[in-house]
Amino acid sequence: MTTALPLPDFAHERVEVSTGRRSGLFIAVALHSSVLGSALGGARLWTYPHWSDALGDALRLSAAMTLKNAAAGLDAGGGKSVIGLPEGTVLDADRRRAAFLDLGDAVESLGGLYRTAEDVGSTTEDMLVVSERTAHVVGLPDAVGGSGEPAGPTSLGVYASLVATLERVVGSDDVRGRRITIAGLGQVGGRLAERLAAEGAVLTVTDVNPAKRALAAQLGAAWVEPGDAHFVPADVFVPAGIGGVLTDDVIDALDARAVCGPANNPLADRSGADRLAARGVLYAPDFVVNGGGVIYLDLTAKQLGSRESIMARVAGIGDTLRRVFDEAESRGVTPLAAAEGLAAERLRTGAGALV
């Protein structure tokens, strides 16, 4: 299940919806903007109550990708694709392959205006299947000369953002002894937890998959049930799972000084940014925090620098977030409004990389 979220204003350039001719599954490819260049955004494979929920997810996520890529200073627009599974559907290997061949056809139909990559529910191996039907795909496996899994760069950007956030709320960038709650131990959240544990942070973690308790035990982290994570006193609360977790009720009960995490669209409603600010909780906008993966994928695909220089740019997300916090303070607005304003300015001018 996915949390119901409000739809964005419809400003998309193009949306393609189809039933995969091989898989019979719902497929949506949403191109929100190509103002800054060919759009880049991952392919999500997820279970939805209704096909319209899958479409809504594609619309929301593609709009967020426009902000993310603009804030990251990339010459890339925003787009997203979604393969929607009816509830109770379990894909065998043949149907999964069929689904990603269908996705490849859908991506190809946009003629290069949109490039896809792995995302929640999909893998670099799935992208290899997509590449059989279109060249407009990035993040192929290392074994075939691709850039591989982007979770590492994403996690690096989140870490840099978390350090910048700690500076604002506790006056130090040292994570040792800081109380950090991570809600979601997937590819990015798990990597982040491992690094923070190694650096001496006091971790509380959770995940909808109870098997992740093993990682918690390995790291010496406290485990709580997913619905209780926001009650735990923390310096930083890190949403690292599905979107929409920061509802009004969760925000009102949140026992943290700041929110900084990689989850897309963690606010159940945009007004949540004001609600957090009213409670004195610093909010690091998700589309800035989680931009490391797209920076890595886009620059690697375009061969714009060495791996070392690209990863240095990913780490620069921390400085982008510091700029956002400064802008918010000087204008008397929320960090979300400040980040949106900086991204909108780049979309208007087409210049001025933020990272």
Side-chain angles (χ1 to χ4, degrees), residues 38-130:
S38 172
L40 175 61
R44 179 162 295 197
L45 176 67
W46 198 248
T47 299
Y48 298 90
H50 191 263
W51 65 264
S52 60
D53 298 299
L55 175 58
D57 219 10
L59 296 176
R60 282 186 296 271
L61 292 166
S62 58
M65 287 304 304
T66 296
L67 292 174
K68 180 187 295 191
N69 293 337
L74 299 176
D75 294 324
K80 203 77 172 186
S81 49
V82 169
I83 301 173
L85 301 179
E87 291 183 321
T89 301
V90 177
L91 297 183
D92 60 21
D94 288 342
R95 197 177 184 197
R96 186 182 184 99
R97 173 176 166 78
F100 284 97
L101 288 172
D102 289 337
L103 176 65
D105 288 340
V107 170
E108 180 64 19
S109 73
L110 271 69
L113 288 174
Y114 165 69
R115 294 165 295 150
T116 195
E118 66 87 34
D119 194 70
V120 175
S122 64
T123 68
T124 57
E125 292 296 331
D126 293 324
M127 294 307 104
L128 189 58
V129 176
V130 172

Side-chain angles (χ1 to χ4, degrees), residues 238-295:
V238 180
I242 62 170
V245 295
L246 294 173
T247 63
D248 286 351
D249 288 344
V250 168
I251 290 171
D252 289 346
L254 181 64
D255 193 356
R257 302 175 70 173
V259 174
C260 175
N264 288 305
N265 301 321
L267 296 172
D269 191 275
R270 192 180 183 283
S271 64
D274 297 299
R275 203 175 190 96
L276 285 165
R279 293 202 59 228
V281 179
L282 182 64
Y283 178 65
D286 59 294
F287 61 84
V288 176
V289 173
N290 62 20
V294 290
I295 292 172

